[in-house]
């Protein structure tokens, strides 16, 4: 949100762990102002990532006349993806202050958004006939979820391993 040229902004970044099917999301809550500002975030100011909420306090003392960005709070949370590799994460925050900014009453500024994280590829699928006649050619198809996946196929007849193929 913006009040009189002052903006509350949430920036985020993430890293992914494919084997754990998780993303680590870091959110930074910033206040962008264009003019002098002397303020303190009061009770009720918070940052929330994936429903994990933390209160913060921050004093701001800026006497300049150019645009400046002040980091109010930063929070990092690990988000578990769904079994299909998809995930969404809510990011939110508030800046609560008493007073005015350039003649406008500020009160509470807030930001709230749901981000869609990139899908983490999950298991590949393999199709092959359930039975085969002696002497016939066995063929199957691997449909990888990701080009970075490696596959190893082990063919067993009864309890004996007959062949191993790496793809």
């Amino acid at each position: 949100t913006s009040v009189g040229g002052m903006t509350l902004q949430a920036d985020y970044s993430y890293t992914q762990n494919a084997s754990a099917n998780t993303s680590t999301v870091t959110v930074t809550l910033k206040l962008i102002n264009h003019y002098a500002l002397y303020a303190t975030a009061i009770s009720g100011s918070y940052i929330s990532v994936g429903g994990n909420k933390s209160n913060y306090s921050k004093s701001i003392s800026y006497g300049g006349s150019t645009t400046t960005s002040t980091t109010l709070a930063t929070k990092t949370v690990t988000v578990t993806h769904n079994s299909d590799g998809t995930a969404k994460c809510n990011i939110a925050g508030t800046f609560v202050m008493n007073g005015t900014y350039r003649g406008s009453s500020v009160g509470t500024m807030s930001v709230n958004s749901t981000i869609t994280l990139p899908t983490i590829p999950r298991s590949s699928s393999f199709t092959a006939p359930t039975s085969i006649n002696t002497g016939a050619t066995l063929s199957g198809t691997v449909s990888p979820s990701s080009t970075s996946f490696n596959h190893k196929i082990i063919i067993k007849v009864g309890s004996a391993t007959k062949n191993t193929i790496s793809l």
Side-chain angles (χ1 to χ4, degrees):
T1 57
S2 293
V3 174
M6 182 169 55
T7 303
L8 184 65
Q9 174 179 307
D11 296 334
Y12 73 93
S13 62
Y14 62 88
T15 57
Q16 294 189 306
N17 182 332
S19 60
N21 198 30
T22 60
S23 290
T24 300
V25 179
T26 299
V27 176
T28 302
L29 194 62
K30 295 179 180 179
L31 187 68
I32 314 296
N33 57 293
H34 306 286
Y35 302 95
L37 175 66
Y38 301 92
T40 300
I42 60 172
S43 178
S45 297
Y46 71 85
I47 184 170
S48 175
V49 182
N52 190 325
K53 181 178 171 181
S54 297
N55 294 322
Y56 72 89
S57 62
K58 178 77 173 184
S59 293
I60 301 167
S61 178
Y62 174 68
S65 60
T66 59
T67 301
T68 188
S69 171
T70 302
T71 296
L72 300 173
T74 300
K75 186 165 187 68
T76 300
V77 170
T78 298
V79 176
T80 300
H81 287 239
N82 300 315
S83 59
D84 64 357
T86 61
K88 291 186 178 185
C89 179
N90 180 261
I91 58 176
T94 62
F95 173 67
V96 183
M97 83 174 235
N98 286 330
T100 61
Y101 177 71
R102 297 191 65 225
S104 298
S105 177
V106 176
T108 300
M109 297 175 70
S110 61
V111 61
N112 189 335
S113 183
T114 299
I115 58 173
T116 300
L117 295 164
T119 299
I120 296 175
R122 302 318 300 148
S123 62
S124 300
S125 63
F126 176 72
T127 55
T130 56
S131 64
I132 187 169
N133 294 326
T134 303
T137 302
L138 174 63
S139 64
T141 304
V142 175
S143 300
S145 292
S146 171
T147 56
S148 67
F149 282 5
N150 294 316
H151 300 86
K152 182 176 184 179
I153 301 170
I154 300 172
I155 301 170
K156 291 186 176 186
V157 177
S159 61
T161 299
K162 293 295 183 183
N163 199 359
T164 301
I165 305 167
S166 293
L167 302 174

